[in-house]
Amino acid sequence: MGSLNAEQDLKVSNEAFLYVNGVRRGLPDGLAHLTLLEYLRDTIGLTGTKLGCGEGGCGACTVMVSHYDTKFRKCLHYAINACLAPLYSVEGMHVITVEGVGSYKHGLHPIQESLARAHGSQCGFCTPGFVMSMYALLRSSQTPPSEEQIEECLAGNLCRCTGYRSILDAFRVFAKTSDILYTGVSSLGLQEGQSVCPSTGKPCLCNANDKCVVSDDRNKPASYDEVDGNRYTEKELIFPPELLLRKPTSLTLTGFGGLTWYRPLTLQHVLDLKAKYPDAKLLVGNTEVGIEMRLKRMQYRVLISVMHVPELNVLDAKDGGLEIGAAVRLSDLLKLFRKVVTEQAAHETSSCKAFIEQLKWFAGTQIRNVASVGGNICTASPISDLNPLWMAARAKFQIINSKGNIRTVLAENFFLGYRKVDLACDEILLSVFLPWNRTFEFVREFKQSHRRDDDIAIVNAGIRVHLQELSQNWVVADASIFYGGVAPYSLSATKTKEFLIGKNWDQDLLRNALEVLQKDILLKEDAPGGMVEFRKSLTLSFFFKFFLWVSHHMNGIKESIPLSHLSAVHCVHRPSITGSQDYEIMKHGTSVGSPEIHLSSRLQVTGEAVYTDDTPMPPNGLHAALVLSRKPHGRILSIDDSGARSSPGFVGLFLAKDVPGDNKIGAVVPDEDLFAVEYITCVGQVIGIVVADTHENAKIAARKVHVEYEELPAILSIQDAIDAQSFHPNTEKWLSKGDVDHCFQSGQCDRIIEGEVQIGGQEHFYLEPHGSLVWTVDGGNEVHMISSTQAPQKHQKDVSRVLGLPMSKVVCKTKRIGGGFGGKETRSSFIAAAASVPSYLLNRPVKITLDRDVDMMITGQRHSFLGKYKVGFTNEGRVLALDLELYNNAGNSLDLSLAILERAMFHSDNVYEIPNMRVMGRVCSTNFPSNTAFRGFGGPQGMLITENWIQRIAVELKMSPEEIREINFQGEGSILHYGQVVQHSTLAPLWNELKLSCNFEKAREEVVQFNSHNRWRKRGIAMVPTKFGISFTTKMMNQAGALVHVYTDGTVLVTHGGVEMGQGLHTKVAQVAASAFNIPLSSVFISDTSTDKVPNSSPTAASASSDMYGAAVLDACEKIMARMKPIASQNNFNTFAELVSACYAQRIDLSAHGFYITPDIGFDWTTGKGAPFRYFTYGAAFAEVEIDTLTGDFHTRVANIFLDLGYSLNPAIDVGQIEGAFIQGLGWAALEELKWGDRAHKWVPPGHLYTNGPGAYKIPSVNDVPLKFNVSLLKGHPNVKAIHSSKAVGEPPFFLASSVFFAIKDAIRAARAEMGCDDWFPLDSPATPERIRMACLDEFTSFVNSNFHPKLSV
């Protein structure tokens, strides 16, 4: 029917181009290997679009593409992930990046201005992605979107800083319900043929003509008022007319490594290409192939883009059902389903409704906008969300071969094995036919994942049943049950299906079917993916839910189900997120105390804020990639670099022997090799560094370095370390108070309990990966670098050490970083040090930026902990004695693990008076990458162990945990177990205000009431306090320097030693300076943090930076003001600039260095006594959650947070810190689980990190924000021990998210009580769906005992 010469028969154009932000750009041949993101950033220098993960999982790379749909004769606008989109896939389209939306100089778009004003940008790295997701939604909406649509459009965007509430508030202003959009233009005032453009609110013609052509005056700059009357310059980019007129052309283009890209326009051309290249990959959005090529290193030589083939894009409702082309995008499929359920008879669309629900939770909007139906089907993933539904819904697949012959295959027969389908090498999937449902035919979807939004399934299912009435009984005429996540492919529960057919639909059927199902779906103990018991229980829970759902639909026709069981049937309606922020403004001078927006926010929302990887590459620059160990413990036998040397673009490989200075580095003690010498002690240890002409070539060459090992035994858990007595040297620590042994033995304690608490680690997941740009100066005599780090001085020191240079010749600068949270305090310096070696030796600039998977593997996480406690208490609930052993998993080097252990020991009383206390701590040495600082620095782990035994005491005494807490509160003058006296405690007023605000007793009654009426959904509540010590626990680090210059125009330049990482440090410091000089905030500018301006700075950490650097800047300002005072007293100056000029004329020094040391602190470990903290920040939180006991799914209904921050320097920034810390803490407590190759996860290679990207590691998303999220700052309690009566905020709120953890535990207790089980039970952190579900005892978990403990990497 066709020939292999079809390429000659068709008009093939190799001329390719696209528009970017209104500018036409030709696309030369040879770029098929590039993604759109690489082109935008590296080729044309648009760095506003960020690289966050490279796998479409974080949304930082979101852009909008527009193209003209010739079939529907209209412009389509939609958001995509630029990191996955092949460059040539957007040929002939208009790409709009954040730079094309608005700019700092020429005016912000309303979306950008609203986000900046609502404090919705902290570190700013994710911000352009959020802006573009929202912009694409507005451009594509015919009417203003609903709040639900806004939340849905952001599901594919992650933020680690803000906690999302402020972002949602910023975008909510665009969800309006009238025709008066955001400019006051009413539809009544429009001229004929015009309508209101949803993206600008201005009259335009795009809806009238179905073409996005704007009215003539749209290109003229026009100002209009929006949010709070601010002015915007409006220049919305139109769809380029050339693209309207241009007809699509067939393309044949090439790329690096022999790659060929085809874009056929006809089905026959596709078939001919497939016959010629049987191994070719067909793609639309590249969402799977892109991952395979980048992360799985699969090499494909021929890629065929089928998005323009009409026959593959059919969407047609027919008499018997729906015909869906294989290239149809999932977002279009969802629109079709939503349309047909309103048009067809209700019983006909049961399958469609199931697909709508499943697609809602399928990936993020950006992925759905490009991923195709056929791509999802033919990938044949064992956890595909849609394939079990196609199979259950009796779908038929139309398959066509190169000769044009078409055959039909039932979906249930299409999947043959792991990623194997019934397609011959010359066949492709043409279309899918989904039949309408029959009367009394029910289809339902199920899915359980770690996180609801944008997550792969743990188990999913599609279940269908067709009932018919026979002799007054409803009998199963037909059924199908398909599961994903339980086998190498979507699996049919065949025996269960056969059992069901012909049976009456009643309770007997349910009971017997569950017994058959349990034997029908079998999972081996070592099944890939683990969680075997949980997955088994889900197969039963899903069927049980389906039975109740069908029975509920048959209500009135047959016997109804009990009302209390309906909770298993009804989907949770999730209202829009609401929040309140309650604080008082205590102004001091012109600026301090004012809720100013982040100084960089307007640069961040426009994408103009520059991060390390955005820095332009200097001429002659090289890119670096690390050569990493693949074994957890071993001896290096040989290193073969021959493959790397012949790799394209390779310049050099550098090993330990090439280090000019000292190869030993370390945060506290030099116990790490920069490059491994003989032994490797973890997977991901750096063996060497490769430099090449491009980032990709450097990575390819690094992978070609072959290392032979002699494998040695590995220690892969805390328990392994304890058994082997593997501890870092000199790390055993003790703290004590009273006489613990005497208290236990004397009979004072009515009860004594003992137990263990396991706490998993947590990945920092800063959105900006680690990176450094290093170059030599003055002929190689000096070394300069720009780094993403919290500790520029640490970079300076380590680079100086490894190069053998004095520190005075090494300069490190940091403008801002895209999140740090402790992860860039010490673990960034070895990366910069590694890159400095080739830069110094070759005398060329070297840039290194870690890929997300490498970053997560090698740079360490929050420490996992094991706590062993023994607690004695009275029958009234008063704690008398605590004996505690703490172990943390340091990894293969000490790093900061000892200081982290010490803080955990300091915080292991939380807020409780314990007369007799003994704490022993040990730092475990294991064969994992070195763990490191993370927000809270060990404090949260220490406090979580405490709250675990507090909750256990409550269960033992049949009291509420809140009562136990109150009985044992510390008070003013309490002496802590390390000798510090509690002063200025605000715990009592804080706790009482929180209790009042949440009406705790009423909340408890309502929860009890709900639980009594709902068998399968349970609610729980908890109130948790915190006391967080402020100061570095190493005394010498509590010092800060600053440099202040006053210029003759009255403006002020401030440089200090702290790093801006989104926490608003620069903004607060600028406010301090502005108030000190009594000038507007706009007159103060904060320069880069640089080691040649302020020397010997401590890392920006420990929550103390505002205290220290604010005080140092104030010191400098006061010195200058003192010099100016005599001049100021002589004349009455109208402005500060006049005063400065007069001082200059009198030769007054207008520059000063400020310095601050934290007073009255110090701790002696030899005596175990002292005052390690300057003061404490107190807080308390209330949380209410609701869990699904059958699946372990949960959501936080309410979170109320109270924090004492004295007189806040900037209450708006502080509220943002509280919300961000709480949501990050919620991830630690209930969502984020690290899975390592250890005894608990034998299906993962030993020592490897399985959860090494957003695909497997799930931080909270928009959907995880509490439905009611309220933050209050305690009023009327100034802090006498810090600058302007303020308190530190960064870390203290983090632990308050444990209120969600204990509310979950409270809900689980209610579920267990249904089975008559009231005993205390352990719940490890994080409380993932697996742990929640397996703790809720019922008939579906009867195959495990009541003390079953899901596995956890510690």
Side-chain angles (χ1 to χ4, degrees):
M1 183 177 169
S3 76
L4 298 184
N5 297 320
E7 290 170 53
Q8 285 83 44
D9 302 336
L10 286 159
K11 181 190 174 187
V12 178
S13 167
N14 284 332
E15 183 201 354
F17 69 92
L18 80 164
Y19 276 78
V20 180
N21 297 332
V23 178
R24 188 185 194 276
R25 295 187 178 271
L27 292 177
D29 193 10
L31 304 181
H33 58 285
L34 286 186
T35 63
L36 174 59
L37 180 65
E38 290 166 332
Y39 175 76
L40 292 173
R41 290 182 60 81
D42 302 335
T43 305
I44 61 176
L46 293 176
T47 56
T49 310
K50 306 301 182 193
L51 173 62
C53 69
E55 55 180 273
C58 73
C61 65
T62 304
V63 298
M64 186 183 87
V65 296
S66 307
H67 69 90
Y68 184 63
D69 188 313
T70 52
K71 182 179 176 184
F72 294 103
R73 293 177 56 76
K74 66 177 182 180
C75 288
L76 301 178
H77 311 284
Y78 50 92
I80 67 166
N81 292 119
C83 72
L84 288 179
L87 173 59
Y88 291 147
S89 71
V90 294
E91 194 279 334
M93 298 183 183
H94 188 195
V95 176
I96 296 183
T97 71
V98 68
E99 292 95 339
V101 175
S103 72
Y104 186 77
K105 287 181 181 175
H106 300 112
L108 274 61
H109 190 278
I111 292 171
Q112 295 168 323
E113 183 71 30
S114 185
L115 190 59
R117 286 191 157 272
H119 307 277
S121 179
Q122 289 186 17
C123 87
F125 199 81
C126 70
T127 302
F130 276 93
V131 168
M132 293 314 300
S133 286
M134 186 66 200
Y135 182 75
L137 176 68
L138 293 182
R139 285 293 294 258
S140 62
S141 299
Q142 300 297 314
T143 57
S146 66
E147 291 187 15
E148 184 182 0
Q149 286 174 313
I150 290 172
E151 288 184 24
E152 193 175 302
C153 94
L154 301 178
N157 292 82
L158 296 179
C159 173
R160 197 53 152 166
C161 296
T162 64
Y164 299 103
R165 192 276 313 160
S166 54
I167 298 172
L168 292 169
D169 275 3
F171 291 164
R172 192 171 280 133
V173 302
F174 302 102
K176 298 191 178 176
T177 53
S178 70
D179 288 332
I180 307 168
L181 291 172
Y182 10 108
T183 56
V185 179
S186 134
S187 57
L188 300 174
L190 297 172
Q191 297 172 16
E192 189 177 346
Q194 290 185 329
S195 61
V196 177
C197 181
S199 66
T200 65
K202 289 293 183 96
C204 81
L205 305 172
C206 59
N207 293 346
N209 295 340
D210 287 328
K211 294 183 182 180
C212 198
V213 180
V214 294
S215 49
D216 293 337
D217 62 349
R218 281 292 300 286
N219 285 333
K220 298 172 187 171
S223 294
Y224 60 101
D225 288 349
E226 188 31 48
V227 187
D228 296 333
N230 274 288
R231 311 295 286 178
Y232 301 97
T233 301
E234 185 235 7
K235 243 182 185 176
E236 203 77 65
L237 289 166
I238 67 166
F239 188 75
E242 180 186 4
L243 297 181
L244 289 172
L245 303 172
R246 181 188 191 236
K247 292 180 180 176
T249 55
S250 176
L251 295 176
T252 304
L253 297 159
T254 61
F256 179 77
L259 180 65
T260 307
W261 171 276
Y262 291 96
R263 187 178 76 185
L265 301 181
T266 66
L267 178 60
Q268 188 55 54
H269 191 185
V270 175
L271 297 173
D272 291 343
L273 288 169
K274 193 72 174 87
K276 185 176 182 181
Y277 307 109
D279 295 328
K281 278 286 179 180
L282 273 60
L283 52 84
V284 176
N286 198 46
T287 56
E288 182 65 29
V289 173
I291 297 291
E292 288 177 346
M293 293 179 76
R294 183 190 164 274
L295 294 181
K296 299 179 183 177
R297 319 287 181 217
M298 295 183 179
Q299 297 299 313
Y300 300 121
R301 291 281 176 259
V302 178
L303 300 176
I304 304 171
S305 173
V306 296
M307 66 185 298
H308 292 284
V309 178
E311 297 93 330
L312 297 176
N313 283 282
V314 172
L315 264 181
D316 200 6
K318 300 188 171 181
D319 290 343
L322 294 170
E323 185 180 356
I324 303 155
V328 167
R329 298 177 302 155
L330 295 182
S331 55
D332 291 334
L333 181 66
L334 183 56
K335 286 176 193 167
L336 173 72
F337 284 142
R338 283 175 170 161
K339 180 169 175 274
V340 298
V341 295
T342 63
E343 297 172 347
Q344 298 292 133
H347 73 269
E348 291 186 335
T349 57
S350 184
S351 296
C352 297
K353 290 165 191 163
F355 274 104
I356 289 170
E357 285 303 310
Q358 201 73 310
L359 282 165
K360 184 179 177 183
W361 305 116
F362 184 103
T365 306
Q366 298 94 317
I367 296 291
R368 289 199 301 269
N369 282 339
V370 295
S372 66
V373 172
N376 183 261
I377 290 170
C378 293
T379 297
S381 167
I383 48 173
S384 164
D385 289 339
L386 303 185
N387 288 345
L389 267 180
W390 294 123
M391 297 160 86
R394 300 183 297 125
K396 295 174 183 173
F397 296 161
Q398 303 281 324
I399 294 163
I400 186 168
N401 68 9
S402 58
K403 296 178 180 175
N405 300 322
I406 295 175
R407 64 186 176 97
T408 302
V409 178
L410 277 173
E412 63 179 277
N413 298 328
F414 185 68
F415 303 97
L416 308 178
Y418 179 68
R419 298 193 180 261
K420 289 182 181 174
V421 294
D422 182 14
L423 280 179
C425 60
D426 68 336
E427 289 182 320
I428 66 166
L429 180 64
L430 177 64
S431 63
V432 177
F433 184 76
L434 181 69
W436 303 125
N437 299 110
R438 299 162 286 192
T439 312
F440 297 114
E441 184 174 39
F442 302 94
V443 180
R444 183 77 192 271
E445 85 302 330
F446 297 95
K447 175 181 178 178
Q448 185 57 47
S449 49
H450 287 102
R451 183 182 73 198
R452 277 182 300 281
D453 267 344
D454 189 10
D455 195 3
I456 55 176
I458 297 167
V459 176
N460 52 31
I463 308 179
R464 177 184 60 86
V465 69
H466 181 211
L467 302 180
Q468 289 180 344
E469 192 172 16
L470 287 174
S471 308
Q472 297 187 325
N473 288 318
W474 287 93
V475 175
V476 178
D478 189 19
S480 43
I481 307 167
F482 291 92
Y483 289 105
V486 295
Y489 55 95
S490 301
L491 189 68
S492 170
T494 311
K495 292 175 185 171
T496 312
K497 166 189 170 173
E498 290 166 356
F499 168 80
L500 291 177
I501 293 174
K503 303 287 193 308
N504 290 346
W505 189 259
D506 56 22
Q507 291 291 331
D508 286 342
L509 172 138
L510 172 64
R511 190 167 48 254
N512 295 326
L514 287 168
E515 287 180 14
V516 176
L517 185 57
Q518 199 166 330
K519 295 168 187 165
D520 203 0
I521 303 292
L522 298 173
L523 274 164
K524 293 179 181 176
E525 193 178 333
D526 59 348
M531 299 181 286
V532 170
E533 296 82 4
F534 180 42
R535 287 150 74 188
K536 280 182 188 173
S537 75
L538 288 174
T539 61
L540 303 174
S541 293
F542 288 168
F543 184 81
F544 176 67
K545 280 174 167 268
F546 179 75
F547 177 86
L548 294 182
W549 178 72
V550 172
S551 300
H552 178 58
H553 273 274
M554 299 292 288
N555 196 2
I557 303 171
K558 63 182 293 301
E559 181 185 345
S560 62
I561 60 172
L563 288 175
S564 63
H565 281 46
L566 287 179
S567 54
V569 171
H570 291 148
C571 295
V572 178
H573 172 64
R574 188 181 161 84
S576 292
I577 293 156
T578 60
S580 67
Q581 303 83 44
D582 180 25
Y583 52 79
E584 61 181 346
I585 295 173
M586 302 297 289
K587 286 283 291 266
H588 180 97
T590 56
S591 190
V592 166
S594 179
E596 304 287 347
I597 67 168
H598 195 292
L599 286 183
S600 295
S601 60
R602 286 191 167 87
L603 288 173
Q604 289 166 191
V605 297
T606 58
E608 294 166 289
V610 176
Y611 299 83
T612 298
D613 193 41
D614 300 335
T615 309
M617 194 68 164
N620 205 29
L622 298 171
H623 293 265
L626 301 172
V627 178
L628 303 172
S629 157
R630 303 304 296 159
K631 301 293 179 185
H633 193 199
R635 191 164 69 87
I636 297 173
L637 300 177
S638 65
I639 299 174
D640 178 5
D641 64 356
S642 56
R645 290 189 177 280
S646 60
S647 196
F650 173 87
V651 174
L653 166 67
F654 299 84
L655 304 169
K657 62 181 173 60
D658 303 306
V659 175
D662 195 339
N663 191 50
K664 281 286 185 184
I665 57 171
V668 179
V669 296
D671 61 348
E672 299 180 46
D673 289 331
L674 176 66
F675 300 135
V677 180
E678 182 179 3
Y679 291 95
I680 49 98
T681 52
C682 71
V683 173
Q685 185 171 348
V686 180
I687 294 171
I689 188 167
V690 165
V691 286
D693 60 344
T694 69
H695 182 51
E696 197 58 38
N697 281 344
K699 290 193 293 182
I700 291 168
R703 286 198 293 271
K704 290 179 180 177
V705 177
H706 183 69
V707 183
E708 289 282 344
Y709 309 92
E710 175 195 341
E711 289 193 55
L712 299 171
I715 292 172
L716 298 174
S717 69
I718 289 177
Q719 194 57 54
D720 284 356
I722 294 171
D723 293 344
Q725 289 294 290
S726 176
F727 303 108
H728 283 281
N730 307 313
T731 60
E732 183 175 314
K733 295 287 180 174
W734 292 84
L735 290 173
S736 65
K737 170 187 172 185
D739 191 333
V740 172
D741 293 329
H742 178 260
C743 186
F744 283 137
Q745 293 160 12
S746 64
Q748 296 174 48
C749 305
D750 295 322
R751 304 186 189 206
I752 297 173
I753 55 173
E754 295 186 60
E756 288 189 0
V757 180
Q758 292 188 119
I759 302 171
Q762 183 184 22
E763 164 61 29
H764 302 88
F765 213 95
Y766 28 72
L767 265 288
E768 177 200 24
H770 281 282
S772 281
L773 172 62
V774 187
W775 67 97
T776 54
V777 177
D778 199 21
N781 189 42
E782 303 169 42
V783 173
H784 286 212
M785 75 193 96
I786 294 170
S787 291
S788 180
T789 178
Q790 294 171 240
Q793 187 263 351
K794 177 73 178 151
H795 280 224
Q796 178 193 27
K797 186 177 179 182
D798 280 356
V799 169
S800 157
R801 185 182 179 107
V802 302
L803 298 184
L805 290 174
M807 288 176 69
S808 55
K809 290 188 175 183
V810 178
V811 177
C812 180
K813 293 187 177 186
T814 301
K815 181 72 178 174
R816 63 176 62 81
I817 66 175
F821 316 112
K824 295 176 181 175
E825 184 175 341
T826 58
R827 302 313 297 166
S828 55
S829 68
F830 77 90
I831 299 161
S836 74
V837 173
S839 178
Y840 182 70
L841 294 176
L842 297 173
N843 206 16
R844 293 175 69 177
V846 171
K847 180 187 273 192
I848 183 167
T849 302
L850 299 189
D851 284 350
R852 177 63 60 180
D853 55 337
V854 173
D855 190 304
M856 291 181 71
M857 167 58 84
I858 74 172
T859 60
Q861 285 95 12
R862 182 187 296 279
H863 290 67
S864 55
F865 264 71
L866 173 64
K868 300 184 178 186
Y869 62 81
K870 181 179 180 182
V871 184
F873 52 96
T874 67
N875 286 331
E876 293 73 42
R878 191 165 296 282
V879 178
L880 298 180
L882 167 65
D883 196 2
L884 179 65
E885 293 177 24
L886 289 179
Y887 301 90
N888 71 355
N889 189 335
N892 70 335
S893 73
L894 184 60
D895 193 70
L896 300 175
S897 300
L898 180 57
I900 287 163
L901 178 77
E902 290 169 355
R903 188 175 273 269
M905 295 170 71
F906 286 139
H907 284 71
S908 56
D909 60 346
N910 195 5
V911 296
Y912 306 115
E913 187 74 62
I914 307 169
N916 303 284
M917 191 169 170
R918 180 170 61 209
V919 188
M920 186 278 288
R922 301 291 298 268
V923 177
C924 297
S925 176
T926 59
N927 293 116
F928 290 120
S930 192
N931 286 316
T932 191
F934 197 152
R935 195 181 212 156
F937 204 75
Q941 294 97 316
M943 291 185 280
L944 188 65
I945 291 166
T946 302
E947 293 301 336
N948 263 280
W949 56 253
I950 285 281
Q951 197 258 353
R952 185 170 177 184
I953 291 172
V955 174
E956 295 281 335
L957 297 176
K958 294 186 168 44
M959 296 167 68
S960 80
E962 288 71 28
E963 288 177 272
I964 302 298
R965 292 182 176 113
E966 290 170 4
I967 289 167
N968 291 286
F969 276 168
Q970 294 163 353
E972 192 71 13
S974 288
I975 299 174
L976 305 177
H977 58 291
Y978 44 91
Q980 185 156 351
V981 179
V982 172
Q983 296 176 311
H984 311 293
S985 170
T986 53
L987 176 60
L990 197 77
W991 183 263
N992 292 334
E993 285 205 32
L994 173 64
K995 210 167 183 181
L996 203 63
S997 76
C998 65
N999 201 341
F1000 188 78
E1001 299 306 325
K1002 185 172 181 239
R1004 170 58 68 195
E1005 288 170 16
E1006 288 174 352
V1007 163
V1008 169
Q1009 183 79 356
F1010 177 88
N1011 291 343
S1012 66
H1013 289 99
N1014 291 276
R1015 173 64 186 91
W1016 303 110
R1017 296 195 83 86
K1018 298 295 180 186
R1019 289 179 184 169
I1021 58 173
M1023 270 177 71
V1024 174
T1026 189
K1027 169 182 107 260
F1028 195 88
I1030 303 301
S1031 290
F1032 287 99
T1033 52
T1034 302
K1035 185 176 180 178
M1036 67 177 179
M1037 296 176 74
N1038 293 283
Q1039 57 178 301
L1043 191 60
V1044 176
H1045 302 319
V1046 179
Y1047 293 96
T1048 53
D1049 65 350
T1051 61
V1052 175
L1053 176 66
V1054 176
T1055 308
H1056 60 85
V1059 171
E1060 176 58 58
M1061 50 190 169
Q1063 83 281 42
L1065 174 62
H1066 283 359
T1067 307
K1068 287 182 176 181
V1069 166
Q1071 287 178 270
V1072 169
S1075 285
F1077 289 122
N1078 199 32
I1079 57 177
L1081 182 61
S1082 58
S1083 295
V1084 181
F1085 179 69
I1086 310 285
S1087 185
D1088 299 17
T1089 306
S1090 182
T1091 57
D1092 63 352
K1093 301 293 188 297
V1094 179
N1096 310 319
S1097 298
S1098 296
T1100 304
S1103 304
S1105 299
S1106 294
D1107 287 5
M1108 296 200 308
Y1109 293 111
V1113 167
L1114 183 60
D1115 179 47
C1117 294
E1118 286 174 344
K1119 286 177 182 175
I1120 296 171
M1121 288 297 287
R1123 296 172 198 157
M1124 298 170 81
K1125 191 173 181 180
I1127 308 296
S1129 63
Q1130 292 169 16
N1131 295 288
N1132 189 16
F1133 295 100
N1134 292 322
T1135 65
F1136 183 65
E1138 287 180 14
L1139 170 60
V1140 174
S1141 294
C1143 290
Y1144 174 73
Q1146 295 297 318
R1147 297 186 295 178
I1148 303 294
D1149 182 2
L1150 296 173
S1151 176
H1153 173 254
F1155 192 67
Y1156 174 78
I1157 59 170
T1158 308
D1160 306 324
I1161 56 168
F1163 187 79
D1164 184 354
W1165 276 101
T1166 56
T1167 62
K1169 295 294 180 251
F1173 305 116
R1174 176 68 175 141
Y1175 62 87
F1176 296 101
T1177 294
Y1178 287 91
F1182 164 86
E1184 179 182 332
V1185 304
E1186 184 176 317
I1187 67 170
D1188 182 333
T1189 67
L1190 290 167
T1191 63
D1193 199 39
F1194 85 95
H1195 65 272
T1196 309
R1197 289 171 46 78
V1198 181
N1200 280 7
I1201 304 164
F1202 267 78
L1203 219 68
D1204 165 29
L1205 295 181
Y1207 288 167
S1208 170
L1209 296 175
N1210 184 321
I1213 279 178
D1214 285 351
V1215 164
Q1217 284 291 288
I1218 293 166
E1219 291 173 336
F1222 187 89
I1223 295 301
Q1224 196 175 59
L1226 187 151
W1228 170 66
L1231 280 175
E1232 302 174 37
E1233 182 172 3
L1234 292 165
K1235 294 183 179 179
W1236 290 92
D1238 53 23
R1239 269 192 284 186
H1241 305 91
K1242 291 181 179 175
W1243 43 276
V1244 182
H1248 285 251
L1249 179 64
Y1250 173 72
T1251 48
N1252 64 351
Y1257 186 81
K1258 297 298 169 182
I1259 71 170
S1261 71
V1262 167
N1263 206 264
D1264 297 300
V1265 179
L1267 302 181
K1268 292 181 182 173
F1269 197 12
N1270 305 318
V1271 175
S1272 303
L1273 304 187
L1274 188 67
K1275 298 178 178 125
H1277 289 270
N1279 175 31
V1280 298
K1281 294 192 173 187
I1283 185 169
H1284 296 317
S1285 305
S1286 65
K1287 277 193 174 184
V1289 67
E1291 292 168 292
F1294 178 90
F1295 177 69
L1296 294 178
S1298 67
S1299 58
V1300 173
F1301 176 87
F1302 288 105
I1304 288 170
K1305 198 165 186 185
D1306 187 50
I1308 296 171
R1309 279 199 71 205
R1312 291 167 71 95
E1314 295 270 8
M1315 300 294 286
C1317 187
D1318 288 322
D1319 295 345
W1320 178 84
F1321 62 96
L1323 183 66
D1324 292 335
S1325 169
T1328 56
E1330 176 191 17
R1331 291 188 179 82
I1332 295 171
R1333 200 281 163 263
M1334 298 314 292
C1336 293
L1337 303 178
D1338 52 47
E1339 53 265 44
F1340 311 114
T1341 55
S1342 56
F1343 55 86
V1344 296
N1345 65 46
S1346 61
N1347 295 320
F1348 174 71
H1349 225 52
K1351 292 165 182 169
L1352 179 67
S1353 286
V1354 288

